[in-house]
């Protein structure tokens, strides 16, 4: 009988030890799945909650403060309408505010006389007086500046415009139409007049190509990654 009890106890002890060992092995094995399990739900939790959590903080700096301060202005000068049409496309893509740069004394309607006048202004490094000022300039963070190429440069009234504001900290985005001369040296002039601004990538199209430029305008503006 004692022998039977002893055998029974031995078996019970063996089984118990085996169970403990099994638990150890099981605890080692689950630790990996546990890690995985912990990682997966965490990852899942991250996927389900983190985007919302990270989207909100991201959205606030981008949408709230930038929605107020990071506004877009599209200021343009146009004599015969090409740059104005392009400015309209920029407006459609960005939702920014449009502003027409105009000299206090309008340019002549006579093309040949205008050629002379524009050349003379350039020779004089003139700064023609402006007809109007932008309201709430400070609210704009990015300013698109559009103009035609005049004698290989920006019309001087565009430089008048830029120099009449504090451009510090603003992003200036030039866009230009021309008869074939591209930007010429206008980007350098714009940069020199927009003191303290950061110049972003500009866009140029020939005057006769403006009406077909919408998709190129969209691609250019997408590449700028502006908030608005
Ligand atoms: C006074 C004047 C000077 C110009 N000079 C140039 C030039 O140097 N190079 C060029 O490619 N086009 C030149 N053009 C052509 C204009 O840049 C082009 O027609 C432009 O698209 C006009 O834009 P707008 O319709 O917005 O005024 C000149 C036009 C004018 C009126």
């Amino acid at each position: 009988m004692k022998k039977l009890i002893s055998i029974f106890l031995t078996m019970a002890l063996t089984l118990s030890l085996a169970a403990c060992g099994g638990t150890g092995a099981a605890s080692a094995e689950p630790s990996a799945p546990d890690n995985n399990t912990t990682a997966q739900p965490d990852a899942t939790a991250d996927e389900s909650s983190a985007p919302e959590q990270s989207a909100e903080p991201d959205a606030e700096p981008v949408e709230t403060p930038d929605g107020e301060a990071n506004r877009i202005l599209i200021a343009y000068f146009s004599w015969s309408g090409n740059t104005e049409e392009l400015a309209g496309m920029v407006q459609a893509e960005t939702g920014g505010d449009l502003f027409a740069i105009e000299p206090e004394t309008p340019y002549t309607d006579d093309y040949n006389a205008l050629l002379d006048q524009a050349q003379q202004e350039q020779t004089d490094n003139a700064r023609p007086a402006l007809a109007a000022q932008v309201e709430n300039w400070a609210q704009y963070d990015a300013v698109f500046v559009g103009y035609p190429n005049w004698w290989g440069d920006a019309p001087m009234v565009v430089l008048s415009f830029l120099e009449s504001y504090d451009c510090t900290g603003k992003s200036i985005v030039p866009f230009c139409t021309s008869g074939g001369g591209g930007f010429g040296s206008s980007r350098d002039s714009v940069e020199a007049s927009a003191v303290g601004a950061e110049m972003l990538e500009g866009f140029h199209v020939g005057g006769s190509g403006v009406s077909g430029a919408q998709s190129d305008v969209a691609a250019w503006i997408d590449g700028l990654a502006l908030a608005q």
Side-chain angles (χ1 to χ4, degrees), residues 147 149 151-154 176 178 180-189 204:
Y147 50 84
N149 175 329
W151 294 110
D153 210 330
C176 173
S178 73
F183 273 103
S185 57
S186 66
R187 277 175 295 192
D188 291 340
S189 302
H204 163 266

Side-chain angles (χ1 to χ4, degrees), residues 78-83 111 114-115 118 148-152 177-181 207:
S78 183
W79 183 76
S80 54
N82 295 336
T83 311
Y111 181 77
L114 180 65
L115 288 176
N149 175 329
W150 274 7
W151 294 110
T177 68
S178 73

Side-chain angles (χ1 to χ4, degrees), residues 75-78 83 101 107 117-128 145-163 172 174-178 181-194 199 204:
Y76 67 94
F77 168 74
S78 183
T83 311
I101 300 170
Y107 286 110
Q117 185 181 359
Q119 193 170 44
Q120 190 61 50
E121 282 187 355
Q122 209 176 87
T123 303
D124 297 343
N125 197 20
R127 294 295 184 272
V145 182
Y147 50 84
N149 175 329
W150 274 7
W151 294 110
D153 210 330
M156 305 313 272
V157 70
V158 172
L159 308 187
S160 298
F161 171 81
L162 289 166
E163 291 171 14
I172 300 291
F175 62 99
C176 173
T177 68
S178 73
F183 273 103
S185 57
S186 66
R187 277 175 295 192
D188 291 340
S189 302
V190 165
E191 185 168 18
S193 291
M199 289 282 285
H204 163 266

